[in-house]
Amino acid sequence: MSEDDFRALYRHLRDRAAGGSQERPGALRHLTPARVAAAAAEVRSGRTVSLAAPIETRPGPDNPQPAVHRMTGPAERDIGAPGLSFARDRFAMNVHGDADSHLDALCHVLFDGALYDGVPARSVTPDGARALTVDLVRDGIVGRGVLLDIPRLRGVPWLEPGDQVTAEDLTAAEVAQGVRAGPGDLLLVRVGHRRRRRERGPWDTARSRAGLHPTAMRFLAERCVAALGSDGNNDTAPSAVPGVAFPVHVLAVQAMGVHLMDYLDFEELAPACEQAGRWHFLCVVAPLRLPAATGSPVNPLAVL
């Protein structure tokens, strides 16, 4: 895709996405209370499935700055001593890495000097972001989740690094799975990244990974999807647009106001949906309360 074609698509999606309110900006405007209630009514078995991968503390080719987990208690003298003592620990992580499951806030993507809806990029300061932070979703993103399994559609265990998911793939997966994404849905796209990583080992995903083609964002706009998640980064590598890094992030977050979830894990959810005979469910996303943050580690739950 040429940069000129990308910018034309960017302008189209940006103009189409205009609207919303201060409390529910961007694509969240499609996630109405009525749609949340309808999603809750879809629960059948009550089975819950985590869509997050375990947080990793060992470095690897896709995770050179892993999370740090340190025990701060109990002290050696307290172990085995009579009376009360507490086990305590401390945790720190690079939220936007290439291994751990996380949610991108609308202040995460700066493009041409601005954030979503023309908010100046200078609103992101060394002390934290002042607008469009993860605090916008402090009450969670709760709605109807729809999983589209692209490796299942193609008859492969995973998409190879560099492969791209098109709008046509998404539509074909809907037909094959008997489901249709609609207004306010949380769209989840499996590319098989987690399975490949477990079976082949981690690799340098910054250089090569499967993801969505930028034109697939038209599908999200037409269906009025509220949020997008993938078991990869959502963007392919190398970029599908020479001269523009992370074009899907630019289109989804900065142009359309769609919260993204990167590096989720669908390897338990996909067979659960297959067994249940349906690919939609209640999805509950609860980020941490980080008022000035550009994102958050997240453990989304599917409730079948």
Side-chain angles (χ1 to χ4, degrees):
M1 187 178 195
S2 71
E3 184 173 349
D4 287 344
D5 288 341
F6 169 81
R7 287 186 174 273
L9 177 60
Y10 169 85
R11 290 189 294 270
H12 170 75
L13 295 175
R14 179 196 60 193
D15 295 345
R16 179 171 182 154
S21 65
Q22 185 174 355
E23 292 77 21
R24 305 293 282 179
L28 289 179
R29 70 186 186 276
H30 302 304
L31 190 49
T32 64
R35 287 173 177 151
V36 175
E42 291 196 1
V43 175
R44 298 290 183 270
S45 69
R47 177 182 177 181
T48 60
V49 180
S50 169
L51 310 184
I55 292 175
E56 300 187 14
T57 56
R58 293 184 179 181
D62 59 348
N63 197 19
Q65 296 177 316
V68 177
H69 180 218
R70 294 286 183 268
M71 299 303 297
T72 60
E76 184 66 28
R77 65 178 180 275
D78 294 328
I79 297 177
L84 175 68
S85 59
F86 291 101
R88 303 182 306 276
D89 46 4
R90 180 181 178 85
F91 173 78
M93 72 179 296
N94 170 22
V95 172
H96 300 288
D98 285 325
D100 296 320
S101 306
H102 63 271
L103 178 139
D104 293 342
L106 298 188
C107 61
H108 175 51
V109 179
L110 291 68
F111 186 68
D112 287 346
L115 308 178
Y116 168 70
D117 202 27
V119 173
R122 290 187 179 278
S123 63
V124 181
T125 76
D127 296 321
R130 297 174 179 168
L132 303 176
T133 73
V134 75
D135 196 53
L136 285 176
V137 288
R138 61 184 176 273
D139 295 322
I141 304 175
V142 180
R144 179 179 182 257
V146 174
L147 176 65
L148 297 182
D149 191 336
I150 307 304
R152 178 181 184 271
L153 173 70
R154 298 187 186 178
V156 296
W158 56 70
L159 303 190
E160 290 295 341
D163 203 351
Q164 301 174 7
V165 177
T166 66
E168 292 76 17
D169 287 324
L170 298 177
T171 302
E174 286 184 321
V175 174
Q177 296 173 212
V179 68
R180 180 180 172 86
D185 285 349
L186 284 59
L187 178 63
L188 307 175
V189 180
R190 179 177 178 266
V191 298
H193 178 95
R194 289 294 179 184
R195 180 173 175 183
R196 187 183 195 278
R197 190 176 188 267
R198 285 169 188 156
E199 295 188 15
R200 297 282 183 87
W203 70 96
D204 186 356
T205 55
R207 292 182 176 273
S208 182
R209 61 179 179 267
L212 279 71
H213 191 274
T215 54
M217 295 303 100
R218 288 184 181 272
F219 178 95
L220 273 73
E222 291 167 358
R223 300 298 181 84
C224 298
V225 166
L228 172 65
S230 175
D231 53 345
N233 173 266
N234 285 290
D235 265 292
T236 60
S239 172
V241 184
V244 179
F246 298 92
V248 168
H249 276 66
V250 172
L251 295 176
V253 178
Q254 204 268 6
M256 300 168 62
V258 173
H259 285 79
L260 290 186
M261 289 174 283
D262 296 332
Y263 295 108
L264 302 181
D265 191 333
F266 303 138
E267 295 311 301
E268 183 179 352
L269 177 62
C273 287
E274 188 93 54
Q275 182 180 16
R278 62 191 186 104
W279 298 83
H280 54 92
F281 38 82
L282 175 66
C283 188
V284 180
V285 182
L288 300 179
R289 293 291 301 270
L290 299 168
T294 65
S296 170
V298 71
N299 178 22
L301 300 177
V303 188
L304 299 167

